[in-house]
Amino acid sequence: MLQALTADHGRRAGGAERRDPAQAEGLLGETALFLSESTEGLDAGSTFLNRLSAEERAALSKRGRTYRVAAGDAVFTQGDAHKGIFIIEAGRVRVFYSAPSGREITLAYWTPGHFIGGPEISGGGRHVWSGVALEDCRILNLDSAALKDLVTTTPAFALCLIEGLVAKGKCYSSMAQMLGTRSVIERLAQFLLTLAELHGERDGRTIVIRRRVTHDQIAAMVGSTRQWVTMMLKRFHKDGLVAVDASGIRILRPERLQEMVFAEG
């Protein structure tokens, strides 16, 4: 039964890991996703451009370059020279860090409205992580020269950029807090609860998550290995907490997972 969550992530392409979008659909949704103690604020950065007028939005688009990125292709790659930021206009992007060992940790799944490609915004430096399209994306790239010009000529954009950076700071602060203060089993329990809140349907006391999520994806989110995730999901299944079949994940005892989040240690 647990094999329903297992899938090969595919081949490397252009420095990024090529993924079949169908394999990633379990973690995709209308809301951004990253490691956090709650779902509150997950999508805060998606509206960072909302204060711009129609004329200012048009000027922004004119200064940038809009192009398409096919599912599985890199938007930017760790180690490459930094060339500004990328605003997701359509589609979803996974941002991740690759260690020298080849092990990856997912930083976030970003949805339309968010910008990616930081932390550099003023030019120079190299990307410290990668972003790969999980489905066909439309991207607006603002290079460093355009960003500097917009900041100096359009005060509203400068405020937007600050708000976007604040949202990113909160995201990565949340992730750092989870990795630094929560055990890996607590992070797994919290992540399952997050999926339940974002994608779950109530069926009596059970929460059904009709999503296909791989062990590799979960491991990259919680900062563990696929083998450990497989072992723990088997344990959760044996203890009657979680059941997995071809249709998705069933959280049988969400209250026990909630207790685990705060009691494990």
Side-chain angles (χ1 to χ4, degrees), residues 72 115 144 156 228:
F115 82 82
S144 300
W228 183 88

Side-chain angles (χ1 to χ4, degrees), residues 5-259:
L5 283 179
T6 305
D8 182 9
H9 273 274
R11 302 185 305 275
R12 295 271 176 178
E17 188 172 357
R18 178 172 292 277
R19 284 169 168 74
D20 178 350
Q23 292 182 3
E25 67 182 4
L27 294 180
L28 295 183
E30 298 302 316
T31 301
L33 179 63
F34 50 84
L35 197 59
S36 176
E37 292 185 346
S38 75
T39 58
E40 183 178 355
L42 287 180
D43 224 26
S46 65
T47 58
F48 83 106
L49 292 176
N50 278 9
R51 68 169 62 242
L52 296 183
S53 66
E55 293 77 11
E56 290 167 335
R57 288 295 293 264
L60 176 72
S61 296
K62 187 176 181 180
R63 289 305 311 269
R65 179 175 70 94
T66 300
Y67 60 98
R68 297 189 178 273
V69 180
D73 287 347
V75 180
F76 58 93
T77 301
Q78 183 175 325
D80 284 357
H82 191 272
K83 297 179 181 179
I85 64 171
F86 307 86
I87 298 173
I88 305 171
E89 295 187 332
R92 294 162 178 82
V93 176
R94 173 182 177 248
V95 172
F96 60 96
Y97 171 76
S98 299
S101 65
R103 183 173 168 182
E104 294 178 359
I105 184 166
T106 296
L107 304 179
Y109 289 85
W110 294 118
T111 52
H114 291 277
F115 82 82
I116 56 178
E120 293 278 359
I121 60 171
S122 59
R126 296 187 176 276
H127 286 289
V128 293
W129 45 69
S130 300
V132 64
L134 291 174
E135 56 191 14
D136 293 343
C137 293
R138 187 174 70 250
I139 301 294
L140 173 65
N141 174 226
L142 292 171
D143 64 24
S144 300
L147 285 169
K148 290 177 182 177
D149 182 64
L150 287 165
V151 165
T152 56
T153 62
T154 311
F157 176 76
L159 291 173
C160 288
L161 192 57
I162 290 171
E163 291 175 359
L165 289 169
V166 167
K168 283 291 185 288
K170 289 181 176 178
C171 158
Y172 294 125
S173 175
S174 173
M175 180 180 180
Q177 289 170 4
M178 288 288 288
L179 290 172
T181 66
R182 298 285 189 174
S183 68
V184 65
I185 194 170
E186 288 175 312
R187 298 197 298 268
L188 175 59
Q190 179 62 69
F191 182 63
L192 291 173
L193 290 171
T194 295
L195 287 183
E197 186 169 346
L198 292 177
H199 306 304
E201 302 172 3
R202 279 281 178 180
D203 182 10
R205 297 181 61 185
T206 298
I207 302 176
V208 182
I209 306 169
R210 302 189 189 283
R211 298 277 173 143
R212 186 168 181 264
V213 185
T214 71
H215 292 191
D216 282 330
Q217 289 169 336
I218 296 174
M221 283 294 301
V222 303
S224 185
T225 64
R226 179 183 59 79
Q227 292 83 357
W228 183 88
V229 168
T230 299
M231 178 184 69
M232 290 309 304
L233 287 175
K234 286 180 178 179
R235 173 176 152 184
F236 284 0
H237 177 75
K238 181 179 179 180
D239 292 344
L241 305 182
V242 173
V244 180
D245 56 31
S247 66
I249 308 169
R250 300 178 71 87
I251 308 296
L252 305 177
R253 298 179 62 190
E255 74 286 349
R256 179 67 188 104
L257 289 181
Q258 190 68 50
E259 291 170 3

